[in-house]
Amino acid sequence: MSSAVLPALAPPRRAWVTDLPLLLVAAVWGASYLAAKGITTTHTVIAVLVLRFAIVLPALAVAGWRGLRALSGPQWRGAGLLGLVLSGIFLLETYGVVHTSATNAGLIISLTMIFTPLAEAAVTRVRPPTGFLAAAGLSVAGVVLLTQGGGFTSPSTGDLLMLLAALARTVHVLAMARIKAVQDADSLSLTTVQLGSAVAVFAVLAAVPGTGAAPWTVAADFGAGEWAGLLFLSVFCTLFAFFVQMWSVRRTSPSRVSLLLGTEPLWAAAVGIALGGERLGVMGVLGAVLVLTGTAWGRRRADVTS
């Protein structure tokens, strides 16, 4: 995405005009884990994913029709490949949140901010600074504590799936940076093709026997509450979030966007505890603090060295 740096002497009001929508995006993303958990079961994961993205895909296609027509063959193929990775991310995240708490899900997925610079360093063979490695260690220690209940036990299936989702997000970020064909593509068109590829994967999986209820069956069984949750995930967590990011990166710096969106795990914990009635326990609270501290510290160190 292209960006424009906000002038240092911009009036405070102008800064807040940009910051508030981004904070709202972080908040709805944080709330998305509890929303997904509320409308999804093990047998309806794929159906919910089909419904969630099929709702917003037509709007994205209409808004970005010109850009889609302008994409070259390599750009279509590159975006389609990224969409396959994206489908894996959403499958891991959604199955993961079904089997763990919304609080754990939001905090564990934030490890992407640590994994991505580490993976980048491994690819480029440039050793990360000591401060960043310390931040990574702090975050990992926090996850270990976070996933414990009354004592040291094996992490839940959901915790492990969210950890894999964080790794998959890292692969997605690295792939976007290294597939040359997509680097000059319009961001709206790129997102539309990726989501279209992901929906195609979900639709194919939904047609396979034994993968859960069909999307139309799930939709017919939804009550008002489930539809409200689905529309929240589709309209606010996907459509609204994307357009706010497109709008904001042209009015402020990438580092500020990253900082504000990096508050997502805070919102996930707040929503999970306040609305979901989740409890962390003493070790869980300590682990959450370590994860948040480590990811914030690591993000700052990565910004300094990038």
Side-chain angles (χ1 to χ4, degrees), residues 43-44 46-47 206 211-215 217-218:
H43 300 292
T44 63
I46 295 173
T211 55
T217 303
V218 173

Side-chain angles (χ1 to χ4, degrees), residues 9 16 45 51 59 61 91 98 108 127 140-141 153 156 169 214 218 259:
L9 299 179
W16 276 106
V45 166
L51 294 171
L91 285 167
V98 168
I108 293 172
R127 187 179 186 277
V140 172
T153 59
S156 71
R169 279 195 185 189
V218 173
L259 177 66

Side-chain angles (χ1 to χ4, degrees), residues 53 73 90 104 122 159 185 191 214 240 248 269 280 305:
F53 295 108
F90 282 117
N104 276 23
D159 294 334
T191 298
F240 168 76
S248 63
L280 290 177
T305 56

Side-chain angles (χ1 to χ4, degrees), residues 199-225:
V199 170
V201 171
F202 302 146
V204 169
L205 291 176
V208 176
T211 55
W216 50 86
T217 303
V218 173
D221 290 339
F222 271 179

Side-chain angles (χ1 to χ4, degrees), residues 71-81 179-183 185 190 193:
L71 290 178
S72 65
Q75 287 174 329
W76 275 95
R77 289 190 293 273
L81 178 61
I179 298 177
K180 294 182 179 180
V182 303
Q183 291 175 6
L190 182 61
V193 175

Side-chain angles (χ1 to χ4, degrees), residues 254-268:
S255 59
R256 191 169 183 84
V257 172
S258 175
L259 177 66
L260 293 167
L261 294 181
T263 62
E264 176 189 347
L266 285 172
W267 294 105

